[in-house]
Amino acid sequence: MINRRGFSKVLGLTSGATAVSMTGLLSSQTAAASPAPTVTAGAHSAFRRPRQIRAGLLDVGYAEVGPAHGPAVICLHGWPYDIHSYVDVAPLLAEEGYRVIVPYLRGHGTTRFLSDRTLRNAQQSVIALDVIALMDALKIERAVLAGFDWGSRTADIIAALWPERCKALVSVSGYLITNREANLKPLPPKAELAWWYQYYFATERGRLAMADKTLRHDLTRLVWDTVSPTWDFDDATFERTAAAFDNPDYAAVVIHNYRWRLSLADGERRYDGLEKRLAARPVIKVPALTLDPERDPFTAPGDGASYRDRFTGAYEHRTLTGIGHNVPQEAPADFARAVIDVDHF
């Protein structure tokens, strides 16, 4: 029998002081969910050293956990986060037999551009194409896609435009595909306040702050504190992720992403066709489960009603009480349960 320490090594994880139980009672934070695996957030401190693979325009750094021939799950992080958002989710899914892939998005961690001449572009379609290229490189034909923040948007796009590559979808905050024309319209002031950094990044001061290691560190820490007001994480948890922000392309990618959304930066013409399709708000037909974190300042009112019509296949919505923006790291059991459940819709 493999003991708990040995089991973590098999999964490719480094264990923290808190033990993990893979079975348990219904999570108190998930509405209408089936019995969930139990894990204490922060039970694992890190993945083992990420792997690297050339895929499309990138040399992608990624963590892989679970059996090599298991059904694939690709977990996608957001900003300002990295693969450690899934450090507790991955072992739960691996125990269920899934092959879990957690890539660093372009500009993050050990992911690097193959050419210095490649535009440090972060428009939404390009990040989705990065994931398709990664799937091709890993010879993954179809996968359950799960994400939050940038990761939700990326997973939504693949589910909408390439449904043959997406077996099922877990999307925090629902339908996040960007329509740049709609983004030109002002939001209610309270909603605009939550996006303060988006407007900061539209300025030269914001760009310089992201390029400065100390200011970048303090800015991203402020975002963590603000958007996850109930998450009692320690300094070490943040610092593990902040190391991924030292990527040489990080500032350029982040700034381009937020400026592009506000039509303050151009994308590349070769992706215009994809962006035109995305601007039309295509529906998602694959099985989908959406999660709304109650304490996330970006969660729209209405318990998912604002985006319900964009999901036309098998569908379920859950609201996570007392949880903030970084759902997989704050509520790993609920996130893992959502992946397992949607795979059986």
Side-chain angles (χ1 to χ4, degrees), residues 45-97:
S45 61
F47 291 103
R48 296 176 70 180
R49 187 172 182 175
R51 304 180 181 188
Q52 296 290 139
I53 191 168
R54 289 193 169 203
L57 300 174
L58 304 172
D59 181 20
V60 179
Y62 68 99
E64 180 168 347
V65 181
H69 300 292
V73 176
I74 298 177
C75 295
L76 301 170
H77 68 79
W79 183 88
Y81 304 97
D82 81 330
I83 64 174
H84 291 91
S85 289
Y86 295 99
V87 74
D88 289 322
V89 169
L92 296 175
L93 295 176
E95 189 179 63
E96 296 295 320

Side-chain angles (χ1 to χ4, degrees), residues 37-283:
T38 300
V39 63
T40 300
H44 294 93
S45 61
F47 291 103
R48 296 176 70 180
R49 187 172 182 175
R51 304 180 181 188
Q52 296 290 139
I53 191 168
R54 289 193 169 203
L57 300 174
L58 304 172
D59 181 20
V60 179
Y62 68 99
E64 180 168 347
V65 181
H69 300 292
V73 176
I74 298 177
C75 295
L76 301 170
H77 68 79
W79 183 88
Y81 304 97
D82 81 330
I83 64 174
H84 291 91
S85 289
Y86 295 99
V87 74
D88 289 322
V89 169
L92 296 175
L93 295 176
E95 189 179 63
E96 296 295 320
Y98 289 100
R99 177 190 183 191
V100 186
I101 306 295
V102 191
Y104 284 111
L105 299 183
R106 59 169 53 196
H108 293 72
T110 61
T111 292
R112 297 290 188 272
F113 287 88
L114 295 175
S115 172
D116 291 338
R117 296 188 296 273
T118 301
L119 179 68
R120 273 40 179 174
N121 181 355
Q123 67 186 101
Q124 61 181 352
S125 59
V126 170
I127 299 175
L129 288 170
D130 289 345
V131 176
I132 294 291
L134 176 63
M135 293 175 69
D136 290 343
L138 293 173
K139 296 180 170 52
I140 296 173
E141 189 62 32
R142 296 175 73 221
V144 176
L145 300 178
F148 75 106
D149 196 87
W150 290 22
S152 287
R153 180 174 296 105
T154 302
D156 290 350
I157 290 169
I158 295 171
L161 297 189
W162 297 282
E164 70 279 4
R165 307 304 298 270
C166 181
K167 183 181 180 184
L169 170 71
V170 173
S171 183
V172 175
S173 303
Y175 189 90
L176 294 185
I177 295 175
T178 297
N179 179 319
R180 291 210 298 171
E181 183 175 350
N183 261 12
L184 295 175
K185 300 175 182 178
L187 299 172
K190 187 175 181 180
E192 297 282 24
L193 179 63
W195 284 109
W196 65 269
Y197 55 84
Q198 179 171 239
Y199 305 115
Y200 186 42
F201 293 160
T203 70
E204 180 63 8
R205 285 175 63 170
R207 187 192 69 78
L208 291 173
M210 285 302 291
D212 181 284
K213 184 173 182 177
T214 299
L215 292 175
R216 177 174 67 233
H217 175 278
D218 293 348
L219 185 155
T220 51
R221 175 61 187 255
L222 176 61
V223 173
W224 275 43
D225 291 335
T226 302
V227 302
S228 295
T230 59
W231 182 26
D232 186 24
F233 62 90
D234 59 17
D235 290 344
T237 297
F238 175 75
E239 296 302 336
R240 277 190 292 271
T241 287
F245 309 157
D246 291 336
N247 183 299
D249 299 305
Y250 184 76
V253 165
V254 171
I255 294 297
H256 187 267
N257 179 280
Y258 287 103
R259 289 184 178 182
W260 178 86
R261 293 194 213 179
L262 295 177
S263 298
L264 299 175
D266 293 331
E268 293 179 83
R269 294 293 301 273
R270 56 179 165 160
Y271 305 119
D272 284 355
L274 293 176
E275 296 296 348
K276 184 176 181 180
R277 293 171 64 189
L278 294 173
R281 301 183 74 238
V283 297

